[in-house]
Amino acid sequence: MALQKKVKMTAAQAIVECMKLEEIKHAFCVPGESYLPLLDALHDAESIEVVSTRHEGGASFIAEGYAKATLKPGVVMATRGVGAANLSIGVHTAYQDSTPMVVFLGQVHSKFRGREGFQEVDLDQYFKHIAKWSVEVNDPERMPELVQRAFRIAQTGRPGPVIVSLPENVLPAQAEMSFGPPTIKPKPAPSIEEVKRIENMLSKATNPLIIAGGGVKSSQAEESLLAFAGKSSIPVLAAFRRHDVFPNNHALYCGHLGLGTNKEVLQTVKDADVILAIGTRLSEVTTQDYKIITSDKKLIHIDIDYETLGKVYSPDIGIVADSGEALEKLTELTFAESWTAWANERNAAYQQVSQLNVTSADVINKQIIALLEKKLPKDAVLTNDAGNFAGWLHSFYPFTKARTYVGPTSGAMGYGMPAALGAKLASPDKTVVSLSGDGGFMMTAQELETAVRYQVPVISLVFNNNMYGTIRMHQEIHYPEKVIATNLGEVSFSKLANSVGADGYTVQTLIEFESALDQALHNEGPSVIEIITDGENISVSSTIQQLRDRSKK
């Protein structure tokens, strides 16, 4: 690397220069006095838009959704201990979802540390176990080095969040600064020997199966996955909340491994004899409580992070590689065996349980998913909150284009609408729709005002059954009829939307929903469509009464 000319500037200005080197276009925050010099430096940076939110948790969800949509680091800022604690939910989401994020946190004056100063928290230790790396910068001159390192760590290997703690006396301090080049993400490829091992194992397979995860999305390798699967005729399952990793309408697609997955989709894994897991950490949900990949199966696990290999299952072949590079090498292989019959069988099983042939007898949740599939552009981006309402989306909505789904594998409530704001800012030409339950939506509903203030025209669907539905379901399974803490009060989400300047609609029928959706698709600002649903229809597969009846048998 050529020696860089040193430039005198403040530590805060150096942070902004690092953002510019990484081509950061948006930064999200709740302002705080502990990092005012950084905000001032951003004021003078015309290429970076600062989006001020109503709550640090909302800011971190917006940044996380933005990062998923752009595949670039989401930048979020907050003040000391209180702001940091509020945004920690987004940090945890980014960590479990392998989303690149750089978090800048104001910190108390260096001379006040250890005295329990105002809002003092040992930030680098506080976040240590839910971040890839955390650091406190106490030397102004080292700011470029450490911030550039933060951006590099956030983006390379398995992506994730990085925390940078900034003592308030360090930010305005001047020093001679020098900067290195922007991050270039390494793309390790499997060796010739490793590819031969895979070829040998797959050649002996009767029912091979691909489980594709977020690593395929991070490396933008969806087309390479399509090419390899198409050439080899190996069926594909999507890991938890990675629906758009493979076209759902393709003859080789066999479903999504998520919460409440239909038994026909799970049967595909049970019948497989060789599993090729690409870019997935094989999470608890994907593997159905770590039970679905049994010892009688051979496992080929490809991931860019060496710590992921063997963390859940010991692979027969474990390879540290970029998903895209690995898939390109695998596409060069030719197999004498044809797995078309096996793939057709499992695709037919998936088709049988995921068809959107709805009737007026179906619950409104399923009818709405069918209408969304009919009305939305194929490249529309959908986000979702945590909750049972998402079961209808996950079971029935066909994602046919890459980069059209943004959802939390961490299962965080309050995620859907803020993440939609981030996705819309990342892709302003795309239609962006969020799906939330009434419980989750209320957790970050204040960010509707953020959407109004910045004129971000997202469409938020709120399925309102006046309860914490997922928890009520588990309550009825384990403690039937003993309802406690899961009922919620009446809230008019359409009026709530109107009160902050958004367009709000309340609907109870499919006809009313279609009319509201048509209007929302043409609105220039954000819209909320509140859908009144029957709490009895607690999940895709069961009603509350059915759960209670089963407990009596």
Side-chain angles (χ1 to χ4, degrees), residues 58-73:
S60 61
F61 280 153
I62 296 171
E64 205 275 352
Y66 179 88
K68 274 196 177 91
T70 60
L71 301 179
K72 293 184 66 67

Side-chain angles (χ1 to χ4, degrees), residues 315-479:
D316 295 275
I317 301 174
I319 298 173
V320 177
D322 172 80
S323 294
E325 294 293 321
L327 285 164
E328 287 189 17
K329 295 292 184 184
L330 294 178
T331 304
E332 296 173 4
L333 301 177
T334 300
F335 299 99
E337 180 75 23
S338 173
W339 298 294
T340 303
W342 151 247
N344 288 343
E345 173 197 326
R346 300 324 305 163
N347 176 258
Y350 162 72
Q351 292 282 357
Q352 183 180 355
V353 299
S354 63
Q355 285 296 321
L356 266 171
N357 298 324
V358 297
T359 68
S360 58
D362 286 303
V363 298
I364 191 170
N365 306 57
K366 186 175 181 181
Q367 294 180 45
I368 282 171
I369 299 303
L371 192 63
L372 291 176
E373 191 276 332
K374 176 183 176 182
K375 290 273 187 179
L376 295 181
K378 295 305 178 186
D379 66 347
V381 177
L382 276 71
T383 75
N384 69 259
D385 226 308
N388 272 6
F389 70 88
W392 282 274
L393 173 72
H394 293 169
S395 298
F396 301 112
Y397 187 87
F399 292 88
T400 59
K401 299 284 186 182
R403 298 173 70 177
T404 53
Y405 174 74
V406 172
T409 70
S410 69
M413 294 182 73
Y415 178 89
M417 185 263 287
L421 268 65
K424 183 66 176 179
L425 287 168
S427 306
D429 295 333
K430 289 186 177 181
T431 299
V432 180
V433 179
S434 72
L435 289 80
S436 304
D438 54 310
F441 190 81
M442 276 292 283
M443 291 187 176
T444 49
Q446 68 278 351
E447 301 312 335
L448 265 181
E449 191 280 327
T450 304
V452 170
R453 191 164 14 106
Y454 289 93
Q455 281 297 287
V456 186
V458 294
I459 301 171
S460 300
L461 310 186
V462 183
F463 294 83
N464 188 359
N465 61 2
N466 300 117
M467 69 173 72
Y468 288 121
T470 302
I471 311 307
R472 176 67 178 277
M473 177 188 71
H474 289 292
Q475 198 171 62
E476 294 286 357
I477 291 171
H478 298 289
Y479 307 98

